[in-house]
Amino acid sequence: MTWTPAFGAEVSRRGGTVSPVVELSLPGGTRRWARGAMVTDRGAYLPLLDGVGKWARSAGIGAQFGLEGASWTFTLLDPAEDFADELAAYGPIALRRSAVTCWLGAPLSRMAFSDWPIMFTGVLDSWQQTDSFRWSLTCRRNDTPLTRDVV
């Protein structure tokens, strides 16, 4: 992961306080979540990101020479039932493989969004409702280009 000089300076100034922010491009529109409320030049991030898992740094080659999946999980609070409504309206097939991006941002800073390092890009793979208004979403790398026939 490469940090821009502006991001490095902001992290130093804030004593290392950074937070993950997530964008999920669903059929009904892009949803944006963070650990705390944020407004950036890309839009507002709702403070509904409850927890994030560890990021896989790389994917290796499996026993059968297949690409091992690098996955990442985050927990979402859904008190307005936005994710549940999206699932009911469009169905699981439409939601699966929706684009996901996670950045490492500095809340309440004046730093440009373009200075935030990308921590994960991939697609939504699966989800599970773990409690009332709480979802665990698992994402994985987008391997669509690797599964297509070569022409």
Side-chain angles (χ1 to χ4, degrees), residues 23-97:
E23 283 190 12
L24 177 58
S25 299
L26 296 170
T30 299
R31 304 291 188 257
R32 295 177 173 96
W33 302 296
R35 288 212 174 159
M38 296 177 131
V39 178
T40 71
D41 50 356
R42 288 181 63 94
Y45 287 78
L46 298 176
L48 301 174
L49 189 61
D50 190 43
V52 295
K54 293 183 178 182
W55 289 279
R57 293 285 179 206
S58 64
I61 302 298
Q64 299 293 354
F65 299 105
L67 184 67
E68 292 179 358
S71 64
W72 173 66
T73 302
F74 67 95
T75 305
L76 171 69
L77 300 176
D78 193 24
E81 298 187 342
D82 290 333
F83 185 78
D85 290 346
E86 192 90 16
L87 184 58
Y90 296 98
I93 293 173
L95 268 63
R96 190 167 184 273
R97 300 196 60 77

Side-chain angles (χ1 to χ4, degrees), residues 7-147:
F7 187 81
E10 185 69 18
V11 169
S12 295
R13 186 180 72 77
R14 302 172 125 269
T17 305
V18 293
S19 177
V21 295
V22 177
E23 283 190 12
L24 177 58
S25 299
L26 296 170
T30 299
R31 304 291 188 257
R32 295 177 173 96
W33 302 296
R35 288 212 174 159
M38 296 177 131
V39 178
T40 71
D41 50 356
R42 288 181 63 94
Y45 287 78
L46 298 176
L48 301 174
L49 189 61
D50 190 43
V52 295
K54 293 183 178 182
W55 289 279
R57 293 285 179 206
S58 64
I61 302 298
Q64 299 293 354
F65 299 105
L67 184 67
E68 292 179 358
S71 64
W72 173 66
T73 302
F74 67 95
T75 305
L76 171 69
L77 300 176
D78 193 24
E81 298 187 342
D82 290 333
F83 185 78
D85 290 346
E86 192 90 16
L87 184 58
Y90 296 98
I93 293 173
L95 268 63
R96 190 167 184 273
R97 300 196 60 77
S98 294
V100 178
T101 305
C102 178
W103 289 269
L104 194 58
L108 305 175
S109 74
R110 293 174 296 234
M111 182 176 38
F113 188 85
S114 59
D115 287 323
W116 293 8
I118 295 174
M119 297 300 296
F120 181 88
T121 59
V123 293
L124 181 61
D125 187 46
S126 62
W127 51 87
Q128 177 181 3
Q129 189 168 13
T130 58
D131 200 358
S132 296
F133 310 115
R134 184 183 305 265
W135 292 85
S136 176
L137 283 72
T138 301
C139 308
R140 64 181 174 84
R141 302 281 183 210
N142 185 3
D143 62 355
T144 302
L146 299 175
T147 59

